[in-house]
Amino acid sequence: MDERNILSPTDTADELDGTAFRHTQDHLVAAFTTADFRSAVRLLDAVAVVADELNHHPDVRLGWGRVEFALTSHDAGGVTRRDLELARRIGEIAAEHSAKPA
């Protein structure tokens, strides 16, 4: 399967089951809570390293003790395998940083 094939919510349902991410139209979205602003920044910083490694970057909203992620493949116009991989990695990083799904 081409990494730029657009996936539907049905296509991603099994992989997202049990994760913080949900598929809404053309994005995967999730929010995580942390103990404070500094820990939210550390979580975001760790995700930034992985996003650079994958050359696939999320849209992010940062607040006190909260980080929200929106993933989409802009070049493909929707959710692709790249977004699922980044979502999986974000979930792992969040767990390592004791962040909880919001």
Side-chain angles (χ1 to χ4, degrees):
M1 176 183 284
D2 185 341
E3 282 191 348
R4 290 186 292 167
N5 285 345
I6 296 175
L7 304 173
S8 72
T10 302
D11 296 329
T12 62
D14 287 344
E15 228 170 307
L16 296 178
D17 188 38
T19 74
F21 281 89
R22 67 187 196 289
H23 191 149
T24 61
Q25 294 184 345
D26 59 352
H27 286 80
L28 300 182
V29 295
F32 296 91
T33 58
T34 64
D36 52 26
F37 185 75
R38 183 176 289 186
S39 59
V41 170
R42 283 193 300 266
L43 170 60
L44 179 53
D45 188 48
V47 168
V49 171
V50 169
D52 279 344
E53 288 172 3
L54 297 175
N55 193 28
H56 193 56
H57 303 90
D59 293 324
V60 178
R61 187 171 180 180
L62 175 67
W64 191 95
R66 185 176 177 93
V67 184
E68 299 173 14
F69 297 97
L71 315 179
T72 191
S73 295
H74 298 287
D75 61 335
V79 173
T80 67
R81 297 285 324 155
R82 292 176 289 170
D83 300 298
L84 287 172
E85 174 63 15
L86 183 55
R88 183 185 67 76
R89 300 283 298 273
I90 290 172
E92 291 170 353
I93 293 165
E96 291 167 5
H97 283 80
S98 300
K100 305 292 182 215

